[in-house]
Amino acid sequence: MAADTIIEAKNLSKYFGKFKAVEDLSFAINHGDVYGFLGQNGAGKSTTMRMLLGLIFPDEGSVYIKGEKFGNRSRHLLKHVGAVIERPDLYKYLSGWDNLRMFAQLSGVPITTNRLHEVLEIVGLKGREQDKVKGYSQGMKQRLGIAIAMVHNPDLLILDEPTNGLDPQGIFEMRVLIQRLSKDFGKTILISSHLLYEIEQIATRMIIINRGKKIIEGDVTTLLSPDDTNVDVRIGAVDVATSLKASQWASALTNAVDGKLQFRMNPSHIPALNKWLVALGADVYEIKASHSLEAYFLSLTNEDNAKA
């Protein structure tokens, strides 16, 4: 375990009857990571996060927090962690301030009034703290949930689908908040989301799981290498199949059907590919490059499902 590892999962497995929700899952989150936790619905994300927090315990494997094995006798380790799992469980007829103060008292850590004001300002609720939560928007409720999760100043924040149910403005505000918590306040963040575009913009490292198993883990910039950009080309009715097989583009070609060519390559090669096709006499109607976390995610999960 690296010295800067905040939390580590080692060979976690969890069964519900005969159903294996998580299978032999291992990963590590290091200090300073914004760690994207990705998977389709039912992939095992929420089950894993509950195991990290001790809400349920694994049937096999272990969780380590700051290098110490976490279990029933080491609940004190949770002082290093704050979490919002699904939607924050708030008392809607109390004010934001009273919710925050009450949960702060339950944390077991001495927390000053100044700290309460500080976290409210961080999440952008300063001036609305005396309003009852029932009048808050969903975005405000999510931000109050994050304030509660970080009131005891943990090293790690675990955020389960923090943009769920938010409108575009709320999603933008949540993205800005998460980036600020990481850059300005040094928080390590584990974030799960089905909005892959959002994860792509804020995550530094990520893991993709499918059917409870890890498919891949690593730095976002490395995993989303430009050499793996999908390039779709639409040409006129001309047979280029034979020429393609004998050309420098053969290794990059992934599919060719009815004037539609698909390549996987670095987009810097697109001008040369276009010139080559035109020299063959092909009418090039469209060239479209797409390289996103969504495309990468779907390619990996579809491939894994095909093996099942």
Side-chain angles (χ1 to χ4, degrees):
M1 182 182 298
D4 61 349
T5 297
I6 301 293
I7 194 166
E8 182 175 14
K10 282 190 175 182
N11 309 112
L12 294 182
S13 292
K14 183 65 183 179
Y15 305 83
F16 296 104
K18 293 183 179 180
F19 175 68
K20 186 177 288 187
V22 176
E23 181 179 354
D24 196 29
L25 182 61
S26 298
F27 60 90
I29 302 173
N30 300 323
H31 178 75
D33 284 342
V34 178
Y35 192 90
F37 196 51
L38 306 177
Q40 297 174 341
N41 289 337
K45 301 191 302 298
S46 292
T47 298
T48 301
M49 286 186 283
R50 284 176 165 81
M51 286 191 283
L52 296 180
L53 293 165
L55 299 175
I56 58 175
F57 286 95
D59 295 308
E60 300 169 7
S62 302
V63 173
Y64 293 83
I65 299 176
K66 305 275 282 195
E68 187 174 343
K69 188 174 181 179
F70 177 51
N72 272 327
R73 298 183 179 181
S74 52
R75 309 293 292 187
H76 64 279
L77 293 173
L78 289 176
K79 68 183 179 182
H80 300 296
V81 183
V84 181
I85 302 298
E86 297 179 349
R87 295 192 176 189
D89 192 10
L90 304 169
Y91 293 94
K92 62 182 180 179
Y93 291 104
L94 296 179
S95 68
W97 176 267
D98 287 338
N99 269 274
L100 183 60
R101 180 174 53 82
M102 183 176 61
F103 282 106
Q105 291 171 348
L106 293 174
S107 72
V109 178
I111 295 169
T112 66
T113 300
N114 285 341
R115 177 60 181 169
L116 300 184
H117 284 294
E118 181 183 20
V119 294
L120 284 168
E121 187 167 358
I122 289 171
V123 302
L125 290 178
K126 197 70 175 171
R128 297 294 304 272
E129 64 267 33
Q130 297 304 329
D131 296 353
K132 289 185 177 179
V133 167
K134 68 177 183 178
Y136 280 12
S137 67
Q138 184 58 39
M140 292 171 67
K141 291 174 183 176
Q142 289 283 37
R143 283 184 275 134
L144 180 58
I146 292 176
I148 291 169
M150 62 181 293
V151 72
H152 60 293
N153 201 23
D155 299 302
L156 172 69
L157 287 173
I158 296 178
L159 306 178
D160 184 14
E161 298 277 2
T163 57
N164 219 7
L166 302 187
D167 59 21
Q169 180 63 30
I171 291 172
F172 171 77
E173 290 172 354
M174 183 60 64
R175 183 202 313 154
V176 171
L177 174 58
I178 291 170
Q179 290 172 326
R180 186 166 177 243
L181 290 173
S182 171
K183 294 178 181 177
D184 296 346
F185 298 96
K187 298 301 177 187
T188 301
I189 300 170
L190 167 62
I191 175 172
S192 75
S193 179
H194 66 283
L195 298 178
L196 302 181
Y197 175 72
E198 291 300 316
I199 292 291
E200 185 174 3
Q201 293 189 81
I202 61 177
T204 57
R205 296 180 63 238
M206 69 179 185
I207 184 172
I208 297 176
I209 70 171
N210 193 39
R211 292 177 295 135
K213 297 183 291 186
K214 177 167 68 175
I215 299 177
I216 199 163
E217 178 188 19
D219 293 339
V220 171
T221 53
T222 301
L223 295 179
L224 297 182
S225 166
D227 290 330
D228 290 326
T229 298
N230 294 317
V231 178
D232 295 320
V233 181
R234 186 166 62 89
I235 62 174
V238 59
D239 185 7
V240 298
T242 302
S243 297
L244 274 171
K245 289 178 182 178
S247 75
Q248 68 189 89
W249 309 108
S251 60
L253 183 69
T254 58
N255 197 20
V257 179
D258 298 331
K260 294 180 180 179
L261 310 175
Q262 293 180 330
F263 299 86
R264 183 167 291 177
M265 63 171 66
N266 193 301
S268 64
H269 300 314
I270 289 176
L273 172 63
N274 182 51
K275 289 178 181 178
W276 183 83
L277 289 169
V278 171
L280 282 181
D283 293 322
V284 180
Y285 295 117
E286 182 182 33
I287 296 181
K288 182 172 64 176
S290 61
H291 188 180
S292 68
L293 179 54
E294 181 174 14
Y296 185 64
F297 172 84
L298 290 173
S299 69
L300 290 176
T301 53
N302 289 340
E303 180 181 336
D304 186 61
N305 289 333
K307 294 177 182 176

